[in-house]
Amino acid sequence: MESRTRKRSSLNNNEDKISTLPNVLLHHILSFVDAVQVVQTCVLSKRWMNVWKSHPYLDFNFETFSSLINSDYYEDEMVNFTDFVNQVLVRRNNFKAIKISLDLCDHTRYSLVESLIYYAVKHHAEEICIDTACRDVPIVLPRCFFNCESLRSLKLRIDGGIALPKSLGLPSLKTLHLGGAQNFDGKIFSSCPNLENLKIEDICLDTIENFNIHALNLKSLEILNWRYSRIKTECKVMLFAPKLTSFKFDGNTPLLWSEVNLTSLDDVNVVLHRDHYRYDYRFYVDEDEYISGEDETKGGFCLDLLKMLHQFCSAKSLTLSMNIIEVLSKVPAALNKHPSPFSNLKYLKLKTDNKDATLPAHVLNYFLSSSSLLKVCF
């Protein structure tokens, strides 16, 4: 009898140990789930009634919300979701918000994005993440956003566009992810003096001739989905990032450089798609053009690709998609005329799903000519 009592007592003591944890630990555990699930914890016990109100990680995910709220109409779900977000913000009072995130794949109201950003700045958020669509008009950042001293990480990925100012003035910002930004010259990056990680995705520069990335402390740069249909033909990139060690590029047209300073670069990853290249932009260049010494500015795709790659001459590791190798293999005369500058290169990695892929001998010799100890990986 006494043994059973002890067992029951032991079970009772172990039933709800998590509720005895301090709020700081509970908040850390809850930081891995969506805001609606965090709010639902209020029904667990009296201990949990107000935990969600001081929770500093606010992750508003429409997909999670709609899966938990039964509704036959999408419009009703959107109204309910917007109301839920506003209610959470109102009921939190003045508790600090470390991270505020909105993930809404479909069209959202401009006012919702604006109110979230305003709330984040007012409550000294360190991280803002907005991933949504606003197709009526480009999102315009509220004035209170500029010169926010607490913000360390910012993601603005908006299908429909973001209208960016000439300066952000974010002194503490270290990580920036921009998606959907339209026709800005890039000078905003110099207004973030501590920027270390930059990702640019799906941007439209169809009226911009010079795109500037001037970031003295930048260490990692990703330029993704760089598409000729969204980039002005004459658009050139000026990149001044003396501390940059990692560069990743994904697009269907090469970057055209105007001025580059990449003395610390170690790792480069370049993927070039050829599925929708421009009809007026030759994918290959006739060897005769090099032999006859024609104006190289008319060299076409291959020469622009070589010029782009040559700016990564200090890289120790170079990853290329196989279609880049295919382009290079078609123009041996171009490789002879523009020798490999990769004297520091140790690893050449080829990105392919084809197990039988090979590296043509003259392309391999091109890289080996400047780096005899080069290792090739598939």
Side-chain angles (χ1 to χ4, degrees), residues 8-43:
R8 286 179 182 176
S9 175
S10 176
L11 288 173
N12 289 334
N13 290 335
N14 293 328
E15 273 181 1
D16 191 19
K17 280 190 174 181
I18 192 171
S19 293
T20 64
L21 296 174
N23 277 6
V24 64
L25 288 179
L26 294 180
H27 290 157
H28 176 71
I29 294 170
L30 294 174
S31 68
F32 297 98
V33 299
D34 181 83
V36 68
Q37 295 166 321
V38 173
V39 173
Q40 286 176 329
T41 62
C42 69
V43 301

Side-chain angles (χ1 to χ4, degrees), residues 127-179:
E127 183 175 355
I128 298 176
C129 179
I130 308 290
D131 192 344
T132 185
C134 190
R135 300 186 183 92
D136 295 338
V137 291
I139 292 291
V140 179
L141 299 172
R143 289 192 176 186
C144 66
F145 175 78
F146 309 118
N147 302 311
C148 175
E149 295 184 357
S150 63
L151 197 60
R152 297 171 61 85
S153 178
L154 172 64
K155 176 182 178 181
L156 292 175
R157 189 173 181 275
I158 300 176
D159 183 7
I162 314 166
L164 292 171
K166 292 183 178 180
S167 174
L168 286 176
L170 301 174
S172 302
L173 193 70
K174 290 194 171 185
T175 299
L176 176 61
H177 179 176
L178 286 178

Side-chain angles (χ1 to χ4, degrees), residues 41-209:
T41 62
C42 69
V43 301
L44 296 177
S45 67
K46 289 183 178 180
R47 167 71 178 94
W48 289 86
M49 282 183 65
N50 295 309
V51 170
W52 69 271
K53 293 182 179 180
S54 58
H55 185 55
Y57 304 94
L58 305 178
D59 183 5
F60 299 105
N61 186 294
F62 178 74
E63 187 175 339
T64 304
F65 180 86
S66 60
S67 67
L68 297 173
I69 305 299
N70 295 322
S71 176
D72 296 330
Y73 301 100
Y74 173 79
E75 288 298 327
D76 290 345
E77 288 183 348
M78 280 298 303
V79 171
N80 290 335
F81 179 72
T82 303
D83 184 59
F84 169 73
V85 173
N86 290 329
Q87 286 297 320
V88 170
L89 298 183
V90 168
R91 293 172 182 269
R92 288 190 76 254
N93 299 322
N94 290 317
F95 288 108
K96 177 179 170 63
I98 295 177
K99 176 183 177 181
I100 291 184
S101 174
L102 174 67
D103 191 340
L104 179 55
C105 329
D106 215 329
H107 180 75
T108 188
R109 296 176 182 174
Y110 168 79
S111 58
L112 178 61
V113 175
E114 185 182 40
S115 62
L116 272 175
I117 293 176
Y118 178 81
Y119 186 91
V121 173
K122 184 180 177 181
H123 291 79
H124 310 291
E126 297 177 12
E127 183 175 355
I128 298 176
C129 179
I130 308 290
D131 192 344
T132 185
C134 190
R135 300 186 183 92
D136 295 338
V137 291
I139 292 291
V140 179
L141 299 172
R143 289 192 176 186
C144 66
F145 175 78
F146 309 118
N147 302 311
C148 175
E149 295 184 357
S150 63
L151 197 60
R152 297 171 61 85
S153 178
L154 172 64
K155 176 182 178 181
L156 292 175
R157 189 173 181 275
I158 300 176
D159 183 7
I162 314 166
L164 292 171
K166 292 183 178 180
S167 174
L168 286 176
L170 301 174
S172 302
L173 193 70
K174 290 194 171 185
T175 299
L176 176 61
H177 179 176
L178 286 178
Q182 298 180 348
N183 291 317
F184 68 111
D185 59 12
K187 292 181 180 179
I188 60 168
F189 303 129
S190 62
S191 66
C192 304
N194 292 301
L195 187 63
E196 295 181 358
N197 306 290
L198 174 61
K199 179 186 287 190
I200 307 169
E201 185 177 9
D202 287 318
I203 61 173
C204 177
L205 302 176
D206 56 7
T207 66
I208 301 296
E209 292 187 359

Side-chain angles (χ1 to χ4, degrees), residues 71 83 233 246 319 347 356 358:
S71 176
D83 184 59
T233 306
S246 176
T319 301
Y347 301 97
D356 300 323
T358 58

